[in-house]
Each structure stands twice: as C-alpha cells, then as structure tokens.
Amino acid sequence: MNRFIAPAAVAGLMSLPFWSMPTWAAQSGGADTMTTKLIARDALFGNPDKAQARLSPDGKFNSFIAPRDGVLNVFVAPVGKIGEAKPITNDQKRGIRQHFWAYTNRHVLFIQDEGGDENWHLYAVDVVSGEQRDLTPFKGITAQVVGLSWKRPGVVLVGINDRVPEWHDLYEIDLATGERKLIERNEQEFAGYEVDSDLVPRLALKTGADSNDVLRRTDQGWLPLISYGRDDSLTTNLLTIEGDGKSALLLSSIDRDKSALMRIDLASGKQEQIAASERADIGRVWLEPKTYRPQAYGIEYLKPEIKPLGDAVKDDIAFLTSKLGDSFDIGSRTLADDRWIVVTDEPQAPAVSYLYDRKTTQLDKLFEMRPQLSGAPLVPMHAMEIKSRDGLALVSYLSLPPGADKNGDGRPDVPLPLVLNVHGGPWARDTYGFDPEHQWLANRGYAVLSVNFRGSTGFGKSFINASNREWAGKMHDDLIDAVQWAIKEKIALADKVAIYGGSYGGYATLVGLTFTPDTFACGVDIVGPSNLNTLLATIPPYWKSFFEEFATRVGDPRTEEGRKLLAERSPLTRVEAINKPLLIAQGANDPRVKKAEADQIAAAMKAKNLPVTYVLYPDEGHGFARPQNRTSFYAITEGFLSQCLGGRYEPVGDDFEGASLEVLDGASYVPGLEQALGSKK
C-alpha cells in the first residue's frame, strides 16, 4: 500500500498551489537594491522547466512533469536517459500537477479537475500502448486515491462519492480495463479508511462532535481501537498499516503536546513510542516500500531535520547530508529500495532532483526545477522566533532585498517597506526553503516577513488549540505583534507595511484592513473569505466529516452564540473601517471560498466609495493553476504594491497574453492596468 492525499481530501482552507519556474531579466535602477537585476515574473511563477521526478517501482523508468506546448504534462524516459524523455499525456488546459506510478510498472496515474472545481478524476496512462483512461468517469464526484499495493499491482483502491456527495465508498478499479468493484459501502459515514498490503480496509476513522474514533475491522464488525478528543484531532492521524498486518503506525499527540511516531498493535491496542521530539511535531516518516517499517523521521522547527531510526538508512542520510546539506527529502524510490529520487530545497538554490544509487552511493543530478535561475540575485531566508504579547514563540522567516543587509545579520541597513505574507490553512505552516514570493518581493525592494501565528501546524497541539475561536482575535494579534517587532527592530517603515495572503491569508488581509485599519498601508486578498457565516454554509459536502473542526476552532453556525461570533469576526461587518487600498483576486470556480465571498466585500466597498480593485479568473478555483493567469495576477499585484509601498515593478509586457482575467472593479487604481487591459483586447 502507498499513502496518497488527493487535494480534494485535504480539509481546511489551505495554501495556494503556486508553481514556479525560473528565468530572469535585467533592468537598471538606483543604488543598492535598485541596481540589482530584476527577476522576471514568468521566471518565478510560470511553469517549471521540470518537476516531480518519479521512479517506476522496478527502477527502469524515470517520469517527471514538464511543459508540453506550454501546459504541464507527464514525460517518461528510461532511467539514466532523461534526454530521451517523451510525453505520455496531452493535457491542454490546466496542466497535470500530481502523478505517481502503479506497481504494474507500465501505468502512470494522475488526478485532474475541471477549471479548479476540485471534482478530481483519476486517470491511468499505459506507458507502453499510450492508452489513457478515466478511471472515475462520473459527473460531480471527487475521487480519492486510498491505496496501491505491490502485492496487487493491477488495481487501485479509490474512494468515490457518487452515491452520496458527503461520503466516499471504496471501489477497486482494474487499471487495464477500468472495471470497478465495490469493496466497502460507507454507510457508517467514516471520514476515511486505512488498508493493508492486500488492499483490505482494516481501520476506519469516525469523526464526532467531541471525539474522533479509530475503529478496527473484526469478525464482529467495526470495533473501537483508540479514541481522542478535539484537542488532539489536528495532531493525531494514522500513517499506515505495517506489512505484516499486525500493527499500524500513527502520529499521535495523545497524552503529550508534540506529535510522536507511535506503533499500535491492532489486536490488543497496545502502543509503543518509536520516536518523538520536544521541539516540534514529527512531520514526515520514511517507510520501507514493502514492509512499511519506519526508517527515518523528520521534524521542522526553524529548519528541517531528518533523523534515522536504527541503521537501515543511517549511512545514506550521513552520505546525502555530506553532499547536499540538511534540506533534502526522498521524492520517490524503487520497490527494492535500492534507488531513490532525492530532492533538495534551499532558499537560494531552487529545487534540484538527483538519482541516488544506494548500493554504489552514486549520486547523479537529474535536473534543476528552475535552471535559468542560476546566477539570479536570490536572497537568503532568515529563520527566527518572534514573541507574541502573551509569550508564545512564533517561528518566522524574513527575506531582505539584495544589498540591503551588508553585514548579513538579518537586519537591513535602513528600515524598508515590508510585506507581511500570511500563509493559508490556517492549519498549515510556513517553512524554510525556496519561496518564489519571498524572492519576488525582496527583488522588488521589500522586506518580506512570514509568521507562523498560533494555529499553524508543526509546533504541538497547545499551539494549535490556542487559536480556537481566535480568528480575527489572538491569531491576528500574533501578526500585529510581528509587525510591531519588525518596526522596533528597524526592519520595517511603520507607514509602509502591506498585508498579503491567500485563502486564510486572504481572510487575514481583510481582517488587517478592517480590524486594524491604521496598521497597514494596503492589502492583497487572494481567495479569502469575507463572511464566516456564509463560508461555513457553503463548504463542499464531502468536507462533512471535518465540519466539527470548523465548529470548534472557528465558530459553530448551528448555535445563536456561534453565529454571533462568526459575524463579529467577519471583515464584511466592519467594511466601513477600511481606509486603505485593497486588491482582491478570486477564482470563479472555487469550491472552498466561493466567489460570493469576494463579491460581498467588493460590493460593500464600492457602495461606500472605498477604493477596491477586483480581479476575477473565470477558469480558476482556489488558487491559480494556469501560468498565464499566475503571471497576470503577479503583474497586477506588483503594480498595486509599487503605488502603495514605492517598490520596483516590471512593466506588464506580454504577461496578460493568454490570461482569462476580468477586472470587475478598480482598474484605475493600479498603474498601467487600464492600458494593459486595452492592449489585451
């Protein structure tokens, strides 16, 4: 069995799925930062040159995603002959962004939706015949890949919600014929299943108002195995059933603060701790491909760390660390576990994929994701802690413009305009590594600060639970505390701070301009909710199992008290407080944060004669997948910020070509936007 998380199956508002691809252009300016070469937008936010390297289970083929006629598709080459790669898919719309191999060694699987609606379908491509098949050809469904197994290579286990939209039944689908067989009718309304190496559902998760229950299949039916409360629900989850079928692995914060790696006996329920850290949750686990035994685990506090479990991969980690540094991970591996795809991630060294032969300790470079960025003026990322007003440590990341920090101490020589870049989720986190938005904004002359406010993941359950019902409350206080810290440390100019973000970060932007209107000079809201009552009333039906999380952590719309809280914490109720420019960007097909969320705030501002620029993408959802749309959005944002903060901007040029954007309001508020729209026509 392999574990896969289909995007539609991940609850929460989430971060935006931005790709980045490199290339850079020169433009001259004034002294210091202004003389630095300007990195072109399409370099950072266009399609990658190559990405997502994968190995076939037998190690004979190497696959990856790359542009075909400007659209991301899957390519396959014999291992060691990447120059002979040929495309095996021909998507001509949004591009393929996630692919993986079946154990047949001749089928590549990928998921795709239509226009960002997140009605994901699962496709299989036969790399020998070239035949492509939609394995889930049903309207209005969102497929979830539940399992693949080397013991049963010809089938895939898929969750499909065609019977009722809220719940996924389990089907076994033949990769060669597309024939499906019902394995489990989900009448118990389970949130998800864990299957063994024979693809038999053995464990199931049942979510409730007060607790989550993991049940095990027995001859007497589904019986309780473990139960945990809402305090542990975002820091406890099943990983896999181990190969012998007798035990399972889980990450658990039960009776502790940080998630530990645990093993649980499926017969007795007895648990043993395998690994733990007092600094951060365990966030990733390396599993042996056949037995699913854990080989290593990773944590990330300020920066990522990987630690071996026993001797299985101890020498490999030491060797790879000596060659690549600390920031690497396994992207793919063969069934024999003799070859790995290893991927690096450094702030100033965009991702590089390597083929690693464990037997010979041969490490061969496959490709750079952004080869044209070699020599570009990329800047360091500084990892640090910022204290909140009530004493929490907020792990944060700061990037400064080229030439702004001559002694390299993480402080600019003079205070700068600052962009507070707020992550989505909110149950996600900012991490250390290459960040195209940090590089873009720093290159334009801004300090860029990303803050892991309370509610961010990876720092233990108490840090998450401190955010319960604190949207626009203490979660926002953390962001304000970080801004005040940056001003006090002479990093930021007090009157030149912008707030920017997508999804929850878009909500934080709206909160910033309504709850603390004098703190920020302007804001950029990307697919952010403006009304929490309407947000929770329109979440996708297949998120029903996650609804209690929203009720506990945001507010319960089923009660009068909850509805009142949601209204109080909604930016829409305070729209009259806005006195600074706002840019809104929205995907028309967004199933998580509906277009109505942007419509409401834009209409309210327009009715009060407040300046707002509203950009809509008719063929996008929760984030912008098409590169033409991404680069057009960043072109608009760059002009908007230049007027607000005074930084550099690259002329629009041809960045609107092929984009679907519609500017519904406020084109005149962004320099050059009206002219660019005119030339687009």
Side-chain angles (χ1 to χ4, degrees), residues 129-181:
S129 68
E131 180 185 8
Q132 178 172 306
R133 184 186 300 274
D134 184 351
L135 298 177
T136 54
F138 313 106
K139 290 185 178 180
I141 61 98
T142 176
Q144 299 177 351
V145 179
V146 177
L148 293 165
S149 175
W150 61 274
K151 289 185 177 180
R152 304 190 62 207
V155 297
V156 56
L157 197 63
V158 183
I160 304 176
N161 59 334
D162 59 338
R163 179 175 58 86
V164 290
E166 294 87 355
W167 308 106
H168 287 71
D169 298 327
L170 292 187
Y171 288 89
E172 197 174 273
I173 301 179
D174 188 285
L175 295 172
T177 66
E179 180 181 352
R180 70 169 181 165
K181 174 184 176 183

Side-chain angles (χ1 to χ4, degrees), residues 488-518:
K488 181 180 178 181
E489 291 289 314
K490 301 189 184 306
I491 294 168
L493 294 166
D495 61 345
K496 294 288 184 182
V497 179
I499 184 168
Y500 168 108
S503 196
Y504 177 86
Y507 166 80
T509 293
L510 298 177
V511 170
L513 295 192
T514 53
F515 284 69
T516 52
D518 298 325

Side-chain angles (χ1 to χ4, degrees), residues 346-638:
E346 294 283 355
Q348 290 177 274
V352 181
S353 294
Y354 296 86
L355 178 63
Y356 171 53
D357 188 312
R358 297 183 66 200
K359 293 180 179 178
T360 64
T361 62
Q362 181 73 26
L363 186 67
D364 295 316
K365 181 177 176 181
L366 289 175
F367 56 74
E368 297 179 29
M369 188 173 177
R370 307 168 179 86
Q372 298 92 332
L373 276 180
S374 177
L378 302 178
V379 299
M381 175 179 278
H382 302 280
M384 63 195 67
E385 291 181 350
I386 298 172
K387 289 292 184 182
S388 71
R389 65 190 67 181
D390 57 354
L392 293 183
L394 310 175
V395 170
S396 304
Y397 301 99
L398 175 68
S399 298
L400 299 172
D405 176 19
K406 290 186 172 59
N407 64 2
D409 65 350
R411 301 291 186 273
D413 302 328
V414 296
L416 299 166
L418 180 138
V419 177
L420 180 68
N421 190 343
V422 186
H423 71 68
W427 306 296
R429 64 161 292 170
D430 286 307
T431 61
Y432 182 83
F434 182 80
D435 187 315
E437 290 190 335
H438 269 240
Q439 295 294 343
W440 164 60
L441 292 166
N443 185 260
R444 271 42 173 180
Y446 309 121
V448 194
L449 182 62
S450 293
V451 181
N452 283 305
F453 48 87
R454 70 191 69 201
S456 302
T457 55
F459 306 101
K461 69 183 181 186
S462 61
F463 192 79
I464 288 180
N465 295 331
S467 72
N468 288 354
R469 306 204 176 185
E470 292 295 344
W471 287 40
K474 292 180 180 179
M475 294 168 76
H476 188 62
D477 289 345
D478 290 346
L479 298 176
I480 298 302
D481 292 346
V483 169
Q484 294 303 318
W485 170 87
I487 294 169
K488 181 180 178 181
E489 291 289 314
K490 301 189 184 306
I491 294 168
L493 294 166
D495 61 345
K496 294 288 184 182
V497 179
I499 184 168
Y500 168 108
S503 196
Y504 177 86
Y507 166 80
T509 293
L510 298 177
V511 170
L513 295 192
T514 53
F515 284 69
T516 52
D518 298 325
T519 299
F520 299 102
C522 58
V524 179
D525 156 35
I526 312 159
V527 298
S530 62
N531 181 334
L532 296 182
N533 273 301
T534 55
L535 171 75
L536 295 188
T538 58
I539 61 173
Y542 48 84
W543 284 14
K544 186 174 181 178
S545 65
F546 198 76
F547 184 82
E548 296 300 338
E549 293 290 348
F550 285 112
T552 297
R553 301 183 187 280
V554 187
D556 193 340
R558 299 166 297 193
T559 68
E560 182 178 351
E561 180 185 6
R563 290 189 294 272
K564 181 180 178 182
L565 174 66
L566 293 170
E568 289 174 349
R569 302 295 174 87
S570 295
L572 188 64
T573 63
R574 300 193 181 204
V575 68
E576 70 280 353
I578 297 180
N579 57 33
K580 303 293 171 53
L582 172 64
L583 170 62
I584 299 172
Q586 178 70 38
N589 305 319
D590 191 340
R592 311 181 192 196
V593 179
K594 300 290 195 297
K595 176 177 174 288
E597 295 298 318
D599 290 345
Q600 291 176 96
I601 193 77
M605 291 185 67
K606 192 174 180 181
K608 296 178 182 296
N609 295 315
L610 297 171
V612 60
T613 301
Y614 180 12
V615 180
L616 179 71
Y617 290 92
D619 57 352
E620 295 285 7
H622 197 63
F624 312 137
R626 294 184 59 238
Q628 299 92 333
N629 291 339
R630 287 198 304 274
T631 53
S632 69
F633 161 72
Y634 285 109
I636 293 169
T637 303
E638 194 169 306

